[in-house]
Amino acid sequence: MRTILVTGGYGFIGSNFIRYLFRQKGFKGRVVNLDKLTYAANPDSLKEVTAKFKARCTSVKCDICDHELVDKLFKKYRFDCVVHFAAESHVDRSIYGPKDFVETNIHGTFSLLEAARAAWADRKDVRFHHISTDEVYGSLGRTGKFKETTPYDPRSPYSASKAASDHLVMAYHHTYGLPVTISNCSNNYGPYQFPEKLLPVVLINAIEGKPLPIYGDGKNVRDWLYVEDHCSAIWRVINKGRPGRTYNVGGDGEMTNLELVKGICDALEKLVPSSENKALKGKRYADLITFVKDRPGHDRRYAIDYSRLRRELGWQPSVGLAEGLCRTVAWYLSNWQWVTLVRSGEYRKWEEKNYGGRGKTAARAGGRGRRNAR
Ligand code: NAD
Ligand code: TYD
């Protein structure tokens, strides 16, 4: 792989993937990161890798929906591979405003596919890898896991837009012979995750002594995947996966949201005991747990069967949830400046407009179903 186009490389998983790539001894190519720099982007996440690999890591500000510019970049850089992360990625935002999700996730993917189809008409030594989610499969009951053959049943505007993009990607394979692969992964966690997703919201609020908002009864289950494991799975699929095939990626990390939040509180007690954190005013971290109004259409349980990836490509996750949580909490604590930077931008404006500040999320829903977990 000589020149790789990474879309959304200033985001959580994209930036982890670029760092992962430059750690691989066998990787001698270059990366062009194409990112619109939405609220979720943080150029600081790539600062070190860009400085160290100046000649091999470039970023271009570009909206993937801008077909003309995307086309031009394909001609300029002659990409050999596309790793497509760029997306609107937060379910709650898709409930407040689905338009950007339809634009970026569907039209943006379409624009990339068209550019790849035009640029790669006579090439077979290329790959279009699309990052998707387990949320396209819908919601599980108490038992069972999502397989690659599970019928799509998306429930939120976010998952519906991802499902649409998955179908487009596969259609380009069947219709035009584009060498595509898709990976559908479960909830990622780890360094550099934007503070709107559960884990960083809880961690940061806890440190600041603010309520830890848990939607509904806290018994929704997610299958947590350490982001570096996800990156290694993507790289394996790109190098060894079969064109036209989908691979599920999971972390063997099923847990209810309430258990996860308690796990974060426990990890924090070990690293920054609440008794030494003045923001806690004598409380323990777990005392901050606050049940808030449920998310509309909240999927109950996700669980991933990644046996195809294990059997066919020999991949399996290497970081267990307990270990991954400790690493993640430790990373945020020693990178507080990143948190400050990422919260200083657009996110704050959106948060103020919609929630009146994240700390007030619980209060906003306080009238209905607010109670303490312990
Ligand atoms: P993120 O929200 O942290 O980052 C998204 C990045 O894409 C940002 O840098 C943003 O600026 C960029 N972007 C958004 N719209 C763009 C546009 N129109 N043009 C160019 N760039 C644009 O997202 P993430 O959590 O890193 O997720 C990456 C991918 O993984 C997404 O496709 C998401 O659906 C998928 N995924 C994420 C998770 C998870 O747990 N985070 C789980 C399953 C699948
Ligand atoms: P999230 O991190 O938004 O990922 P996704 O919706 O893609 O699974 O949410 C993970 C789970 O945590 C989900 O069940 C919703 C829940 N949640 C809360 O309970 N409180 C919160 O503040 C957030 C952001 C999520």
Short mmCIF file of all heavy atoms in Angstrom, two decimals, residues 4-6 9 11-24 31 46 81-83 85 129 131 227-228 230-236 238:
data_model
loop_
_atom_site.label_atom_id
_atom_site.label_comp_id
_atom_site.label_asym_id
_atom_site.label_seq_id
_atom_site.Cartn_x
_atom_site.Cartn_y
_atom_site.Cartn_z
N ILE A 4 -2.16 5.97 0.98
CA ILE A 4 -3.45 5.63 1.58
C ILE A 4 -4.24 6.91 1.87
O ILE A 4 -3.72 7.83 2.52
CB ILE A 4 -3.24 4.86 2.90
CG1 ILE A 4 -2.48 3.56 2.61
CG2 ILE A 4 -4.57 4.58 3.58
CD1 ILE A 4 -2.33 2.66 3.81
N LEU A 5 -5.46 6.96 1.38
CA LEU A 5 -6.35 8.06 1.74
C LEU A 5 -7.13 7.64 2.98
O LEU A 5 -7.85 6.64 2.97
CB LEU A 5 -7.34 8.34 0.60
CG LEU A 5 -8.56 9.20 0.97
CD1 LEU A 5 -8.16 10.57 1.46
CD2 LEU A 5 -9.51 9.32 -0.21
N VAL A 6 -6.95 8.40 4.06
CA VAL A 6 -7.75 8.17 5.27
C VAL A 6 -8.73 9.32 5.36
O VAL A 6 -8.32 10.48 5.36
CB VAL A 6 -6.85 8.13 6.53
CG1 VAL A 6 -7.70 8.09 7.80
CG2 VAL A 6 -5.91 6.93 6.49
N GLY A 9 -9.47 11.54 9.50
CA GLY A 9 -8.28 11.20 10.30
C GLY A 9 -8.02 12.11 11.48
O GLY A 9 -7.12 11.83 12.28
N GLY A 11 -10.48 12.55 13.58
CA GLY A 11 -11.47 12.07 14.55
C GLY A 11 -10.85 11.02 15.47
O GLY A 11 -9.65 10.74 15.41
N PHE A 12 -11.70 10.42 16.28
CA PHE A 12 -11.26 9.46 17.30
C PHE A 12 -10.56 8.24 16.67
O PHE A 12 -9.35 8.02 16.85
CB PHE A 12 -12.47 9.07 18.14
CG PHE A 12 -12.30 7.85 19.01
CD1 PHE A 12 -11.17 7.68 19.80
CD2 PHE A 12 -13.30 6.88 19.07
CE1 PHE A 12 -11.03 6.56 20.61
CE2 PHE A 12 -13.18 5.77 19.87
CZ PHE A 12 -12.03 5.60 20.63
N ILE A 13 -11.29 7.46 15.90
CA ILE A 13 -10.71 6.20 15.41
C ILE A 13 -9.71 6.47 14.28
O ILE A 13 -8.65 5.84 14.21
CB ILE A 13 -11.80 5.21 14.95
CG1 ILE A 13 -12.88 5.06 16.03
CG2 ILE A 13 -11.19 3.84 14.64
CD1 ILE A 13 -14.05 4.18 15.64
N GLY A 14 -10.03 7.44 13.42
CA GLY A 14 -9.14 7.77 12.31
C GLY A 14 -7.76 8.17 12.79
O GLY A 14 -6.74 7.73 12.24
N SER A 15 -7.70 8.99 13.84
CA SER A 15 -6.38 9.44 14.32
C SER A 15 -5.64 8.27 14.99
O SER A 15 -4.43 8.12 14.84
CB SER A 15 -6.50 10.63 15.28
OG SER A 15 -7.16 10.26 16.46
N ASN A 16 -6.39 7.42 15.69
CA ASN A 16 -5.75 6.23 16.27
C ASN A 16 -5.21 5.32 15.17
O ASN A 16 -4.14 4.73 15.30
CB ASN A 16 -6.75 5.46 17.14
CG ASN A 16 -6.77 5.96 18.57
OD1 ASN A 16 -5.87 5.67 19.36
ND2 ASN A 16 -7.77 6.77 18.92
N PHE A 17 -5.97 5.23 14.07
CA PHE A 17 -5.54 4.35 12.97
C PHE A 17 -4.26 4.88 12.32
O PHE A 17 -3.34 4.11 12.03
CB PHE A 17 -6.66 4.22 11.92
CG PHE A 17 -6.27 3.35 10.77
CD1 PHE A 17 -6.20 1.97 10.91
CD2 PHE A 17 -5.96 3.90 9.54
CE1 PHE A 17 -5.83 1.15 9.85
CE2 PHE A 17 -5.58 3.10 8.47
CZ PHE A 17 -5.52 1.72 8.62
N ILE A 18 -4.19 6.19 12.12
CA ILE A 18 -2.98 6.76 11.48
C ILE A 18 -1.77 6.54 12.40
O ILE A 18 -0.69 6.15 11.94
CB ILE A 18 -3.20 8.26 11.15
CG1 ILE A 18 -4.25 8.38 10.04
CG2 ILE A 18 -1.88 8.92 10.72
CD1 ILE A 18 -4.68 9.79 9.70
N ARG A 19 -1.95 6.76 13.67
CA ARG A 19 -0.83 6.49 14.60
C ARG A 19 -0.44 5.02 14.56
O ARG A 19 0.73 4.67 14.55
CB ARG A 19 -1.20 6.91 16.04
CG ARG A 19 -0.96 8.37 16.34
CD ARG A 19 -1.10 8.65 17.84
NE ARG A 19 -2.42 8.21 18.28
CZ ARG A 19 -3.52 8.94 18.12
NH1 ARG A 19 -3.45 10.12 17.58
NH2 ARG A 19 -4.69 8.49 18.52
N TYR A 20 -1.43 4.15 14.54
CA TYR A 20 -1.17 2.70 14.47
C TYR A 20 -0.37 2.34 13.21
O TYR A 20 0.61 1.59 13.28
CB TYR A 20 -2.52 1.94 14.48
CG TYR A 20 -2.40 0.47 14.20
CD1 TYR A 20 -2.13 -0.43 15.23
CD2 TYR A 20 -2.52 -0.03 12.91
CE1 TYR A 20 -2.00 -1.79 14.97
CE2 TYR A 20 -2.39 -1.37 12.64
CZ TYR A 20 -2.13 -2.25 13.68
OH TYR A 20 -1.99 -3.58 13.42
N LEU A 21 -0.77 2.93 12.10
CA LEU A 21 -0.12 2.63 10.82
C LEU A 21 1.37 2.98 10.87
O LEU A 21 2.22 2.19 10.45
CB LEU A 21 -0.82 3.48 9.75
CG LEU A 21 -0.93 2.94 8.35
CD1 LEU A 21 -1.45 1.51 8.36
CD2 LEU A 21 -1.88 3.82 7.53
N PHE A 22 1.67 4.15 11.40
CA PHE A 22 3.07 4.58 11.43
C PHE A 22 3.89 3.82 12.48
O PHE A 22 5.11 3.94 12.51
CB PHE A 22 3.17 6.10 11.61
CG PHE A 22 2.91 6.84 10.32
CD1 PHE A 22 1.69 7.46 10.09
CD2 PHE A 22 3.86 6.84 9.30
CE1 PHE A 22 1.43 8.11 8.89
CE2 PHE A 22 3.61 7.49 8.10
CZ PHE A 22 2.40 8.13 7.88
N ARG A 23 3.22 3.04 13.30
CA ARG A 23 3.96 2.17 14.24
C ARG A 23 4.29 0.83 13.60
O ARG A 23 5.09 0.06 14.13
CB ARG A 23 3.14 1.94 15.51
CG ARG A 23 3.18 3.09 16.50
CD ARG A 23 2.79 2.63 17.91
NE ARG A 23 1.49 1.99 17.96
CZ ARG A 23 0.33 2.64 18.11
NH1 ARG A 23 0.32 3.96 18.23
NH2 ARG A 23 -0.82 2.01 18.15
N GLN A 24 3.65 0.51 12.45
CA GLN A 24 3.88 -0.79 11.81
C GLN A 24 5.20 -0.77 11.05
O GLN A 24 5.39 0.07 10.16
CB GLN A 24 2.73 -1.13 10.84
CG GLN A 24 1.37 -1.16 11.47
CD GLN A 24 1.34 -1.96 12.76
OE1 GLN A 24 1.61 -3.15 12.75
NE2 GLN A 24 1.01 -1.31 13.88
N VAL A 31 0.37 8.67 4.00
CA VAL A 31 -1.05 8.82 4.32
C VAL A 31 -1.48 10.24 3.98
O VAL A 31 -0.79 11.20 4.30
CB VAL A 31 -1.28 8.58 5.83
CG1 VAL A 31 -2.67 9.04 6.26
CG2 VAL A 31 -1.08 7.11 6.18
N LEU A 46 -3.20 14.53 15.84
CA LEU A 46 -2.20 14.00 14.90
C LEU A 46 -0.89 14.77 14.95
O LEU A 46 0.00 14.55 14.13
CB LEU A 46 -2.73 14.05 13.46
CG LEU A 46 -3.76 13.01 13.05
CD1 LEU A 46 -4.09 13.16 11.57
CD2 LEU A 46 -3.26 11.59 13.31
N CYS A 81 -5.30 3.09 -1.85
CA CYS A 81 -6.23 2.51 -0.86
C CYS A 81 -7.01 3.64 -0.20
O CYS A 81 -6.47 4.72 0.04
CB CYS A 81 -5.39 1.77 0.19
SG CYS A 81 -6.30 1.10 1.57
N VAL A 82 -8.28 3.38 0.08
CA VAL A 82 -9.10 4.34 0.84
C VAL A 82 -9.52 3.66 2.14
O VAL A 82 -9.99 2.52 2.11
CB VAL A 82 -10.37 4.74 0.04
CG1 VAL A 82 -11.28 5.62 0.90
CG2 VAL A 82 -10.01 5.45 -1.25
N VAL A 83 -9.31 4.34 3.25
CA VAL A 83 -9.83 3.84 4.53
C VAL A 83 -10.80 4.91 5.01
O VAL A 83 -10.40 6.00 5.43
CB VAL A 83 -8.71 3.59 5.56
CG1 VAL A 83 -9.26 2.80 6.74
CG2 VAL A 83 -7.54 2.85 4.93
N PHE A 85 -13.27 6.57 7.26
CA PHE A 85 -13.82 6.74 8.61
C PHE A 85 -14.80 7.90 8.68
O PHE A 85 -15.67 7.92 9.55
CB PHE A 85 -12.70 7.08 9.62
CG PHE A 85 -11.70 6.00 9.86
CD1 PHE A 85 -10.50 5.98 9.18
CD2 PHE A 85 -11.95 5.01 10.80
CE1 PHE A 85 -9.55 5.00 9.42
CE2 PHE A 85 -11.01 4.02 11.04
CZ PHE A 85 -9.80 4.02 10.35
N HIS A 129 -11.76 0.48 1.76
CA HIS A 129 -12.25 -0.12 3.00
C HIS A 129 -13.18 0.86 3.73
O HIS A 129 -12.80 1.99 4.04
CB HIS A 129 -11.11 -0.55 3.93
CG HIS A 129 -11.65 -1.22 5.15
ND1 HIS A 129 -12.22 -2.47 5.10
CD2 HIS A 129 -11.79 -0.79 6.42
CE1 HIS A 129 -12.68 -2.79 6.30
NE2 HIS A 129 -12.44 -1.79 7.12
N ILE A 131 -15.57 1.80 6.97
CA ILE A 131 -15.76 1.51 8.40
C ILE A 131 -17.24 1.66 8.75
O ILE A 131 -17.80 2.76 8.60
CB ILE A 131 -14.96 2.51 9.29
CG1 ILE A 131 -13.54 2.72 8.78
CG2 ILE A 131 -14.99 2.07 10.75
CD1 ILE A 131 -12.66 1.52 8.74
N VAL A 227 -9.79 0.66 21.06
CA VAL A 227 -9.62 1.24 19.72
C VAL A 227 -8.39 0.68 18.99
O VAL A 227 -8.42 0.50 17.77
CB VAL A 227 -9.61 2.79 19.79
CG1 VAL A 227 -8.40 3.33 20.54
CG2 VAL A 227 -9.70 3.40 18.40
N GLU A 228 -7.32 0.38 19.72
CA GLU A 228 -6.13 -0.16 19.02
C GLU A 228 -6.41 -1.55 18.44
O GLU A 228 -5.87 -1.91 17.39
CB GLU A 228 -4.95 -0.25 19.98
CG GLU A 228 -4.15 1.03 19.98
CD GLU A 228 -2.96 0.95 20.91
OE1 GLU A 228 -2.35 -0.12 21.01
OE2 GLU A 228 -2.67 1.98 21.55
N HIS A 230 -9.29 -2.41 17.33
CA HIS A 230 -10.07 -2.12 16.12
C HIS A 230 -9.13 -1.77 14.96
O HIS A 230 -9.28 -2.26 13.83
CB HIS A 230 -11.05 -0.97 16.40
CG HIS A 230 -11.95 -0.65 15.25
ND1 HIS A 230 -12.58 0.55 15.11
CD2 HIS A 230 -12.30 -1.39 14.15
CE1 HIS A 230 -13.30 0.54 13.98
NE2 HIS A 230 -13.14 -0.61 13.40
N CYS A 231 -8.12 -0.95 15.25
CA CYS A 231 -7.17 -0.54 14.20
C CYS A 231 -6.44 -1.75 13.63
O CYS A 231 -6.24 -1.86 12.41
CB CYS A 231 -6.16 0.47 14.75
SG CYS A 231 -6.93 2.03 15.20
N SER A 232 -6.04 -2.67 14.49
CA SER A 232 -5.31 -3.84 13.98
C SER A 232 -6.24 -4.71 13.14
O SER A 232 -5.81 -5.31 12.14
CB SER A 232 -4.67 -4.64 15.12
OG SER A 232 -5.64 -5.37 15.83
N ALA A 233 -7.52 -4.75 13.49
CA ALA A 233 -8.48 -5.53 12.69
C ALA A 233 -8.65 -4.90 11.31
O ALA A 233 -8.67 -5.60 10.29
CB ALA A 233 -9.83 -5.60 13.42
N ILE A 234 -8.75 -3.59 11.28
CA ILE A 234 -8.93 -2.89 9.99
C ILE A 234 -7.73 -3.16 9.08
O ILE A 234 -7.87 -3.48 7.90
CB ILE A 234 -9.09 -1.36 10.21
CG1 ILE A 234 -10.39 -1.05 10.93
CG2 ILE A 234 -9.02 -0.59 8.89
CD1 ILE A 234 -10.50 0.39 11.43
N TRP A 235 -6.54 -3.05 9.65
CA TRP A 235 -5.31 -3.25 8.86
C TRP A 235 -5.24 -4.68 8.34
O TRP A 235 -4.84 -4.95 7.23
CB TRP A 235 -4.11 -2.87 9.72
CG TRP A 235 -2.81 -2.70 8.98
CD1 TRP A 235 -1.60 -3.18 9.35
CD2 TRP A 235 -2.57 -1.98 7.75
NE1 TRP A 235 -0.62 -2.81 8.45
CE2 TRP A 235 -1.19 -2.07 7.45
CE3 TRP A 235 -3.39 -1.27 6.88
CZ2 TRP A 235 -0.62 -1.49 6.32
CZ3 TRP A 235 -2.81 -0.69 5.74
CH2 TRP A 235 -1.45 -0.80 5.47
N ARG A 236 -5.68 -5.63 9.17
CA ARG A 236 -5.70 -7.04 8.76
C ARG A 236 -6.68 -7.24 7.60
O ARG A 236 -6.38 -7.91 6.61
CB ARG A 236 -6.12 -7.91 9.97
CG ARG A 236 -6.07 -9.41 9.76
CD ARG A 236 -4.65 -9.95 9.73
NE ARG A 236 -3.91 -9.67 10.94
CZ ARG A 236 -3.76 -10.48 11.99
NH1 ARG A 236 -4.31 -11.66 11.96
NH2 ARG A 236 -3.05 -10.12 13.04
N ILE A 238 -7.73 -4.98 5.46
CA ILE A 238 -7.22 -4.32 4.25
C ILE A 238 -6.17 -5.20 3.57
O ILE A 238 -6.15 -5.34 2.34
CB ILE A 238 -6.63 -2.93 4.61
CG1 ILE A 238 -7.77 -1.98 4.99
CG2 ILE A 238 -5.81 -2.36 3.46
CD1 ILE A 238 -7.31 -0.67 5.59
#
